[in-house]
Amino acid sequence: MRHFCCLILALCFLLMPHAVHAQEEEDSFDVDSMFETAEDVEVSQEEEQKTQPAVVTPTAGDLLQNIKLYGSFNASMGAVGKIYPDDLLMPFASFENYLGFTARPASDISVKGQVYTSFPNFEITIDQLYFDYILEDFMYITAGATATTWGNSLLFDTNILDDESEDVTVLFNTEHKATKRFDAIFTIPVGRGQIQAMGMYKSSNVDDLSSKYLSYAGAVEYPLGPLSIKLFGRKWASADEKAMQPAFGVEITTDLFGNHINLWGKVHSPRGDFEDVSYAKFVGGISRLWSTENMGKIGFVAEYQFIYNSHSTETVKNTSKSNHLALTFAWRHIAKSDVSVAAQWYLNLDENSGYFIPSLSFDTFSHVTMTFIAPIIYGGASYTYKTTFDSTKDLPTILLGVIFTLSLDY
């Protein structure tokens, strides 16, 4: 799991408006159409040589103007220890860096790539490497390692494009996940909405090209009044060992009295001979952000999750149901100061277990933040940070830590 300070910093920025990468469209200039009705005129060879434009060879500087570089890094060090019921101290240091580029060799084609590096595990991976192509303003084609995700939930996982066999409740997790699939995405705008079809290829042996490694997904998204409605579905690859049954679902988002509301649900087709769904999941949430010049930025996210899981055979059907609640709150730069507070809370409603993570941050130096955290794990729940901490029904586990973080976007 990625270091805990990233979770705290990510939380503080969680409710800020997300930047969306939008592809620019440039109008093409069709020179030939200007002469479709012109009469032919004879031109002497001497005059023709005078009127022909000089051949211009692109220079390295011209090519570099079409490439934009960007990046971000995060270096941290600190210590987190268990202070109850026993003690355990864990000092740590880490470094992460993202370096990417966007190139536009033509008005209808763009290429994007991003490389991730980290310490101490010395991971170097290609996060993204793909191209976008605009086909006659009718269809947008994207192909490559896109790391595409679907789902607008901020706390619980609503990404139907992941390949996990079961939805494990992991909250406040910013652990890096490398791109391990090749995507081909076809998007057709329809009025204010769009239709999207996606093919995903995932295989550990890239030389073994086979349809058994290919999975499919599709979605139709369209706004109706104040609602944005998205219907989606996915079929897993037959060779995927973690494959689930085909899934279908709907996502509805809207803004009501300044609050952003998100409703999401999916069901999977039956397993075995029982005529019921094999898996179902529902997530509903509400969020809001207040931003004032004098008080700073205040925001919260609250979400509820319900999971139904049925493992069926020819004679036995085992089912389970679970209810979960999560809340995150942040107040950045209180009253124009360098002080920020945040809190994260997760509760398993069926087992009355979970964890509560308050934090206090100070912007001590330029680009440097010092954060104090005090996680409390209770009711038999577990939480993983460097190592797994467990609690019991009778005794909670209390942690205390301080983290210094240097971060910068460039």
Side-chain angles (χ1 to χ4, degrees):
M1 178 177 177
R2 191 171 165 187
H3 50 75
F4 201 88
C5 64
C6 286
L7 304 182
I8 300 300
L9 295 179
L11 169 67
C12 296
F13 290 95
L14 184 61
L15 302 171
M16 296 182 183
H18 298 283
V20 179
H21 172 71
Q23 178 162 347
E24 301 173 356
E25 298 183 25
E26 297 181 11
D27 297 332
S28 59
F29 184 62
D30 189 359
V31 179
D32 293 336
S33 62
M34 298 178 59
F35 299 94
E36 289 177 351
T37 59
E39 298 180 357
D40 293 336
V41 179
E42 294 184 3
V43 181
S44 65
Q45 184 176 1
E46 181 179 356
E47 291 178 347
E48 183 179 17
Q49 292 176 354
K50 292 180 181 180
T51 56
Q52 285 185 353
V55 178
V56 179
T57 302
T59 64
D62 296 331
L63 298 176
L64 290 177
Q65 289 181 356
N66 296 323
I67 300 177
K68 295 182 180 180
L69 298 177
Y70 66 91
S72 65
F73 74 86
N74 184 297
S76 64
M77 62 180 300
V80 174
K82 181 164 58 171
I83 61 175
Y84 183 84
D86 50 10
D87 51 41
L88 174 65
L89 181 64
M90 294 186 308
F92 70 92
S94 63
F95 171 85
E96 294 178 304
N97 185 79
Y98 294 88
L99 179 61
F101 74 92
T102 300
R104 185 176 292 278
S107 61
D108 53 358
I109 297 178
S110 64
V111 181
K112 183 176 181 179
Q114 180 173 282
V115 177
Y116 169 82
T117 58
S118 67
F119 172 86
N121 58 358
F122 297 100
E123 180 182 0
I124 301 178
T125 59
I126 297 177
D127 269 12
Q128 301 175 5
L129 186 57
Y130 64 91
F131 72 86
D132 289 321
Y133 175 60
I134 304 175
L135 181 60
E136 299 295 333
D137 290 330
F138 166 74
M139 178 184 295
Y140 300 86
I141 302 174
T142 301
T146 68
T148 301
T149 61
W150 286 359
N152 291 327
S153 174
L154 298 174
L155 300 181
F156 291 107
D157 180 21
T158 56
N159 178 25
I160 197 176
L161 301 182
D162 60 20
D163 292 318
E164 298 301 323
S165 57
E166 294 181 356
D167 287 298
V168 180
T169 302
V170 180
L171 294 172
F172 320 122
N173 179 21
T174 58
E175 180 182 2
H176 173 259
K177 294 182 180 179
T179 302
K180 294 183 179 180
R181 67 173 197 258
F182 187 97
D183 302 330
I185 308 172
F186 305 89
T187 304
I188 301 177
V190 180
R192 297 167 56 197
Q194 65 178 23
I195 300 174
Q196 194 168 67
M198 184 174 184
M200 297 170 286
Y201 190 88
K202 178 183 177 182
S203 173
S204 58
N205 184 0
V206 295
D207 296 328
D208 183 18
L209 297 178
S210 173
S211 60
K212 65 182 180 180
Y213 296 111
L214 187 63
S215 60
Y216 305 92
V220 178
E221 186 173 4
Y222 203 86
L224 294 176
L227 304 178
S228 177
I229 301 176
K230 182 176 183 179
L231 304 176
F232 58 84
R234 179 184 174 179
K235 180 183 182 300
W236 272 254
S238 60
D240 193 343
E241 296 179 355
K242 298 182 179 180
M244 301 182 72
Q245 298 297 104
F248 305 91
V250 60
E251 181 175 54
I252 301 174
T253 59
T254 187
D255 292 318
L256 184 64
F257 303 115
N259 301 295
H260 182 73
I261 298 175
N262 182 70
L263 301 174
W264 180 96
K266 71 170 181 176
V267 295
H268 292 252
S269 60
R271 299 187 189 98
D273 297 331
F274 286 97
E275 296 298 328
D276 63 355
V277 299
S278 59
Y279 189 93
K281 181 178 179 181
F282 167 81
V283 174
I286 181 172
S287 61
R288 184 159 186 170
L289 174 67
W290 294 270
S291 181
T292 63
E293 182 179 353
N294 296 326
M295 297 301 295
K297 294 184 178 180
I298 306 173
F300 78 92
V301 181
E303 290 186 355
Y304 164 77
Q305 174 183 262
F306 170 79
I307 294 178
Y308 169 86
N309 198 355
S310 172
H311 295 278
S312 303
T313 64
E314 294 182 357
T315 58
V316 179
K317 180 174 73 171
N318 298 318
T319 62
S320 63
K321 300 177 183 179
S322 60
N323 299 268
H324 310 266
L325 185 66
L327 172 68
T328 181
F329 167 84
W331 188 352
R332 293 280 296 164
H333 301 299
I334 300 174
K336 295 184 177 181
S337 69
D338 294 330
V339 180
S340 302
V341 296
Q344 302 165 334
W345 178 47
Y346 162 71
L347 174 64
N348 185 318
L349 295 171
D350 302 289
E351 301 178 357
N352 196 26
S353 62
Y355 41 82
F356 176 69
I357 310 173
S359 66
L360 176 64
S361 300
F362 301 89
D363 294 338
T364 53
F365 305 102
S366 177
H367 307 297
V368 177
T369 301
M370 178 176 63
T371 302
F372 296 95
I373 59 173
I376 302 173
I377 311 167
Y378 61 92
S382 299
Y383 187 84
T384 301
Y385 172 70
K386 303 296 182 179
T387 186
T388 299
F389 296 94
D390 299 315
S391 64
T392 66
K393 291 292 183 180
D394 301 323
L395 292 176
T397 296
I398 302 177
L399 310 178
L400 187 63
V402 58
I403 302 105
F404 291 89
T405 304
L406 172 64
S407 58
L408 179 66
D409 295 330
Y410 59 90

